[in-house]
């Protein structure tokens, strides 16, 4: 059984990654995994952000409560990943495991998840950044591809992609 991971940031721009992965799993069988890596800056900013904004504004999900002592940003993101996985599972009639994890380094987090869950194929999105932002900040998709030990499929994301 093939195991395919779709990495997502919960943005509308990332929806093509989810649909592409679900379609691939539907066609070849297997199981889809969905991962959202929560960076420390998201947790630090949680106190000053609206709950909808905390998780990339993923508007198809019901609003989540603001973080409290018992409801952390990671727990909220994990719940959102599970709800998103359930939604995709119903839409495509495929098994999906949704998870969010804290990530000091997104690339390390994604590849560690792949190792732990014996993922066969990683599917990621690639946004078109300006040359300057790619030069200064790097490109997460490129870093994921370079560090990969398994096949990686890169799906174009952003405006104009249907």
């Amino acid at each position: 059984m093939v195991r395919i991971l779709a990495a997502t940031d919960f943005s509308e721009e990332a929806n093509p990654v989810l649909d592409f992965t679900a379609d691939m799993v539907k066609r070849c069988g297997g199981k889809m995994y969905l991962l959202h890596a929560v960076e420390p800056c998201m947790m630090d900013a949680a106190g000053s952000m609206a709950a909808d904004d905390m998780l990339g504004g993923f508007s198809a999900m019901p609003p989540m409560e603001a973080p409290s002592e018992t409801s952390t940003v990671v727990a909220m993101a994990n719940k959102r990943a599970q709800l998103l996985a359930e939604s995709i599972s119903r839409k495509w009639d495929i098994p999906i495991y949704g998870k969010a994890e804290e990530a000091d380094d997104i690339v390390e987090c994604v590849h560690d998840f792949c190792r732990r869950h014996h993922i066969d194929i990683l599917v990621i999105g690639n946004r078109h950044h300006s040359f300057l932002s790619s030069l200064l900040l790097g490109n997460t998709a490129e870093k994921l591809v370079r560090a990969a030990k398994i096949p990686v499929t890169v799906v174009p994301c952003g405006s104009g992609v249907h």
Side-chain angles (χ1 to χ4, degrees):
M1 172 172 69
V2 66
R3 296 169 181 232
I4 305 174
L5 172 64
T8 184
D9 63 1
F10 294 140
S11 70
E12 291 293 325
E13 289 181 313
N15 285 342
V17 172
L18 303 175
D19 286 334
F20 180 90
T21 307
D23 184 54
M24 190 174 3
V25 169
K26 183 75 172 182
R27 289 174 188 249
C28 67
K31 185 171 183 182
M32 179 175 168
Y33 292 72
L34 181 149
L35 176 66
H36 174 72
V38 182
E39 297 177 276
C41 62
M42 285 296 293
M43 291 179 274
D44 294 343
S48 63
M49 296 175 71
D52 286 346
D53 293 337
M54 266 185 257
L55 301 172
F58 187 71
S59 58
M61 291 293 128
M64 306 297 277
E65 63 185 40
S68 67
E69 292 175 27
T70 59
S71 176
T72 65
V73 173
V74 175
M76 289 171 53
N78 194 54
K79 179 67 175 169
R80 186 156 282 187
Q82 291 169 358
L83 290 170
L84 179 57
E86 290 170 12
S87 173
I88 295 168
S89 179
R90 281 190 306 275
K91 176 181 174 183
W92 289 88
D93 191 30
I94 58 172
I96 301 177
Y97 172 75
K99 180 81 173 143
E101 295 185 355
E102 183 176 345
D104 289 328
D105 179 290
I106 291 176
V107 173
E108 186 178 306
C109 177
V110 170
H111 288 303
D112 181 57
F113 185 94
C114 289
R115 282 188 296 277
R116 286 184 285 123
H117 294 277
H118 309 286
I119 300 298
D120 299 301
I121 301 169
L122 171 62
V123 181
I124 59 175
N126 186 32
R127 292 195 181 102
H128 302 285
H129 296 287
S130 70
F131 174 74
L132 182 59
S133 68
S134 291
L135 184 65
L136 295 174
L137 304 174
N139 181 311
T140 302
E142 181 182 345
K143 292 175 186 175
L144 282 164
V145 170
R146 287 184 186 275
K149 303 288 188 239
I150 60 173
V152 179
T153 300
V154 181
V155 178
C157 294
S159 61
V161 176
H162 300 289

